[in-house]
Amino acid sequence: TVLPEKTCQYASAEYWDQRFKEEEEREWCQQYEDFKHLLQPLLKPTDLILIVGCGNSKLGQNLAQAGFYNVVNCDISPSVLHNMNYKVRRELQSTQQMQWICCNMLNLPFRINTFDAIIEKGTLDVWFTEDSAWNVSARAQLRMQNTLDEIFNCLKIGGNFVSITFSDPYFRMKYYQNQRYDWIAQSLRFGNDFHYYFYAMTKSSNQIGTYKILFQQQQSDANNFCDIEPMHEYMDEEDYMLKIFDELMD
């Protein structure tokens, strides 16, 4: 694995394209099996699903194997899209409906109200690698807002946006609960040793969406919710997660 000299390189397209030429597979924020019980109730087999920043994760492949075949994988790296397209077509018999598109998440090349579901897994975290979690730069905040604008516009009314991340609700919810987005954001914590966070948003405040039922069912188990800080000793070995959470440990 090619580790960056500085954590700010995690926001660089050049860094990722070079890394993906050498790295075959990497799962950020746990594997599909660890959060499928949260994700699958939000999806239907007929849904058109966009994965933002697919990287070399097997998430698209896992979804297809679970019966969700209409998956569009997008990433800024041409290298990873070429490699993953070849790999998935070799390993799966039915990939005719799976697409691979090179694009920047700050400018998604899709029409408004296109997707039934949009998923990002660790992708939005790259915008916060230059700053302290307590003091996020105006540039990072603007990038986050622009990305969410793109996601919101591409999502159908009644569609679900899912964000799977290292970031605690204290730091992330202020972006998802911005009044410019007509959705309701809720979060769940998952993982055993080190905790990750699953955010779900259904477009249009008039549509409760299946996720709200899911979260109501989970509320009976207080251990699922975001009331415990992440544990430093179980953090991933890559520096940028430590960068995100270092202030929490002081």
Side-chain angles (χ1 to χ4, degrees):
T1 299
V2 181
L3 297 178
E5 295 181 1
K6 298 180 179 179
T7 56
C8 63
Q9 290 179 266
Y10 282 110
S12 164
E14 292 76 16
Y15 164 74
W16 286 109
D17 201 49
Q18 181 59 41
R19 173 169 175 162
F20 288 139
K21 291 177 181 178
E22 304 180 28
E23 182 182 70
E24 183 175 349
E25 183 180 325
R26 171 69 191 227
E27 290 293 346
W28 301 93
C29 303
Q30 299 292 76
Q31 300 184 28
Y32 177 71
E33 290 294 320
D34 298 308
F35 56 81
K36 70 178 183 180
H37 62 292
L38 301 175
L39 180 60
Q40 286 188 356
L42 309 182
L43 305 177
K44 300 187 296 293
T46 56
D47 281 353
L48 180 60
I49 302 168
L50 174 66
I51 300 177
V52 178
C54 62
N56 51 15
S57 166
K58 296 181 68 174
L59 178 58
Q61 182 176 344
N62 295 146
L63 288 172
Q65 290 171 324
F68 306 103
Y69 296 105
N70 301 310
V71 177
V72 178
N73 301 274
C74 76
D75 200 277
I76 202 169
S77 167
S79 298
V80 78
L81 293 170
H82 177 270
N83 294 341
M84 292 301 292
N85 187 12
Y86 174 77
K87 178 180 178 181
V88 171
R89 291 185 182 278
R90 184 183 58 190
E91 296 180 2
L92 290 182
Q93 294 182 349
S94 178
T95 60
Q96 293 89 346
Q97 295 164 287
M98 190 172 291
Q99 302 178 55
W100 306 86
I101 297 177
C102 186
C103 63
N104 190 322
M105 61 183 172
L106 291 171
N107 186 24
L108 296 175
F110 308 109
R111 295 182 178 181
I112 62 171
N113 301 324
T114 296
F115 295 97
D116 301 288
I118 299 178
I119 305 169
E120 75 87 18
K121 186 161 79 82
T123 305
L124 295 181
D125 293 328
V126 302
W127 295 145
F128 302 99
T129 57
E130 299 180 9
D131 311 298
S132 160
W134 296 95
N135 187 25
V136 179
S137 68
R139 180 173 68 169
Q141 294 183 58
L142 182 59
R143 284 174 167 177
M144 183 65 165
Q145 179 178 297
N146 288 347
T147 306
L148 291 176
D149 286 352
E150 292 291 300
I151 289 171
F152 183 82
N153 288 336
C154 294
L155 187 64
K156 290 181 180 178
I157 294 176
N160 292 301
F161 168 45
V162 171
S163 175
I164 302 166
T165 172
F166 311 102
S167 186
D168 185 284
Y170 181 85
F171 299 103
R172 187 56 60 90
M173 270 299 198
K174 61 183 177 181
Y175 300 103
Y176 294 153
Q177 292 180 331
N178 191 316
Q179 293 184 355
R180 68 194 288 116
Y181 309 120
D182 191 13
W183 59 31
I184 301 172
Q186 297 201 30
S187 66
L188 281 173
R189 191 186 64 217
F190 70 97
N192 295 319
D193 297 327
F194 175 67
H195 299 123
Y196 301 85
Y197 299 91
F198 184 101
Y199 298 87
M201 291 137 275
T202 298
K203 186 173 180 178
S204 177
S205 58
N206 295 323
Q207 305 218 8
I208 295 176
T210 55
Y211 80 89
K212 192 164 187 179
I213 298 174
L214 171 67
F215 283 107
Q216 289 171 345
Q217 292 172 344
Q218 297 280 348
Q219 276 183 330
S220 60
D221 183 358
N223 290 331
N224 285 332
F225 281 80
C226 312
D227 54 358
I228 301 177
E229 293 181 349
M231 298 192 296
H232 188 282
E233 62 267 29
Y234 292 110
M235 285 187 175
D236 192 286
E237 68 273 16
E238 292 216 36
D239 290 342
Y240 95 78
M241 282 170 283
L242 299 179
K243 180 71 174 179
I244 293 171
F245 289 116
D246 60 354
E247 297 289 344
L248 287 175
M249 302 301 116
D250 293 339

